[in-house]
Amino acid sequence: MARVTLDSIRKRYDETTAVDDVSLTVADGEIVGVLGPSGCGKTTTLRTVAGFETPTSGTVAFDDRDVTHAPPENRNVGLVFQEYALFDNMTVRENVAFGPKMRGIGKAERNERAMELLDMLGIGGMADRDPTTLSGGQQQRVGLARALAIEPAILCLDEPMTGLDARLKSRLRDEVGELLSDLDVTGLYVTHDQEEAMLMCDRIAVMNDGRVEQIGTPREIYDSPATDFVSEFVTLDAPELPFVRW
């Protein structure tokens, strides 16, 4: 695990400012949600943490190490995307073991690690399956297991539940939220889904037009919106929701 610090991050593409003076700290073992509408800069922020984007200005640090210009392979970041991006020429187990293999971990150890994660996520019995034969929810679990297999310092999740049906999304939201808590992993969780952010994250950064409008716990965001945008965007009308991280 590691502490993540974004200090005055700005990212410009020609005349367009995608991220504008964002400062944010994710503590060791904390899950911070980045919540906002499409085009608000949340995915660019995550890609900057992961190393796929270099900020125009500002710094990114993991603990006390400046990684602003470090390539993704030197950051030890686990990634979970909404597209899953599994290798269809490998079995489920081989997909999960691929990261450790690239890091020189021996076959027995990496396969053991893969099976432990697959069992933890309830899909150990599918280890020898072709990932294209799995449902969307099962593929999402494989993607999460693959991200965790490298024992990342930071776990970055970019809209990982998009495209799942409502019932499966609800179940996985609870299960993955509990798993992240049990693993005590440091995570950045990008989503446009308010309920998802409220249920799964310790704190939430609400973004709009490339800027952070408010950072706070789900309760603070829900009860005390700091700006008109946050008040209008966070429209959940369900105070009875089991906000497990509140």
Side-chain angles (χ1 to χ4, degrees), residues 137-195:
Q138 291 163 344
Q139 289 187 46
Q140 192 246 27
R141 295 185 196 203
V142 176
L144 180 58
R146 187 175 64 180
L148 292 170
I150 63 170
E151 299 181 344
I154 315 294
L155 183 64
C156 289
L157 303 103
D158 188 10
E159 303 274 11
M161 307 226 182
T162 298
L164 302 181
D165 66 73
R167 180 179 298 180
L168 177 60
K169 184 175 182 179
S170 177
R171 188 175 80 246
L172 285 180
R173 191 171 53 204
D174 293 341
E175 292 176 358
V176 173
E178 290 178 7
L179 176 65
L180 295 179
S181 292
D182 292 343
L183 292 173
D184 200 28
V185 68
T186 302
L188 200 65
Y189 193 106
V190 164
T191 182
H192 66 275
D193 188 310
Q194 302 164 40
E195 187 174 340

Side-chain angles (χ1 to χ4, degrees), residues 31-81:
I31 305 295
V32 169
V34 183
L35 174 67
S38 297
C40 72
K42 57 187 186 291
T43 292
T44 301
T45 300
L46 178 142
R47 288 175 59 84
T48 300
V49 171
F52 296 110
E53 301 286 354
T54 300
T56 306
S57 60
T59 59
V60 182
F62 291 176
D63 290 330
D64 297 320
R65 182 170 70 102
D66 187 334
V67 297
T68 308
H69 299 284
E73 60 269 23
N74 291 341
R75 296 196 185 198
N76 194 26
V77 172
L79 298 165
V80 182
F81 301 107

Side-chain angles (χ1 to χ4, degrees), residues 73 87 90 94-107 110 113 146 149-150:
E73 60 269 23
F87 302 120
M90 299 181 184
E94 289 168 341
N95 264 274
V96 177
F98 181 76
K101 179 180 180 180
M102 291 298 98
R103 296 185 175 202
I105 303 298
K107 184 175 181 179
R110 65 179 184 255
R113 186 182 301 178
R146 187 175 64 180
I150 63 170

